[in-house]
Amino acid sequence: FLALLGSSHAFSTCRTLDLEAARRKRIEAVRGQILSKLRLPEPPPDPPPARALPDEVRALYNSTQELLRQRALLRAPEDPEDYYAKELHRFPMETPGDGE
């Protein structure tokens, strides 16, 4: 029986499924859909490599961050009660007698 099963496999007309090829085709299809939505004929070129920030810009950023930290330390802690409403406002949405 096993010999017949093995020989019958040779007569099969079904091709084996290449999952990697199917995956690549799907990726290309999605890439094409994205490009068509963006109305681009081809993907944009890769951006140039990022340059290092100048020392002046880095120093300005660091000093700003330090100033914000100092201000946060000097600020009084927020009172949790300020978060909640002090007054209750009620707005009736139905006129009397509509619920009957």
Side-chain angles (χ1 to χ4, degrees):
F1 179 72
L2 291 176
L4 291 175
L5 182 63
S7 65
S8 68
H9 183 67
F11 294 114
S12 174
T13 58
C14 296
R15 295 184 308 185
T16 59
L17 180 62
D18 185 6
L19 293 178
E20 187 61 30
R23 183 178 153 278
R24 275 188 259 122
K25 283 184 180 180
R26 180 67 186 146
I27 289 173
E28 286 301 318
V30 170
R31 184 176 290 142
Q33 290 173 350
I34 291 171
L35 288 174
S36 69
K37 289 283 184 184
L38 295 174
R39 296 185 179 145
L40 294 173
E42 60 186 29
D46 289 336
R51 297 179 303 178
L53 288 175
D55 291 335
E56 298 86 19
V57 174
R58 189 181 316 272
L60 178 62
Y61 175 80
N62 290 339
S63 64
T64 304
Q65 290 297 317
E66 184 61 32
L67 179 64
L68 290 174
R69 273 190 227 104
Q70 289 174 358
R71 283 187 183 173
L73 291 174
L74 295 175
R75 189 179 318 138
E78 295 181 12
D79 185 17
E81 292 298 320
D82 287 341
Y83 177 79
Y84 300 102
K86 302 286 187 219
E87 299 177 16
L88 177 66
H89 298 282
R90 184 165 184 251
F91 300 98
M93 300 301 289
E94 296 179 356
T95 58
D98 283 349
E100 296 176 5

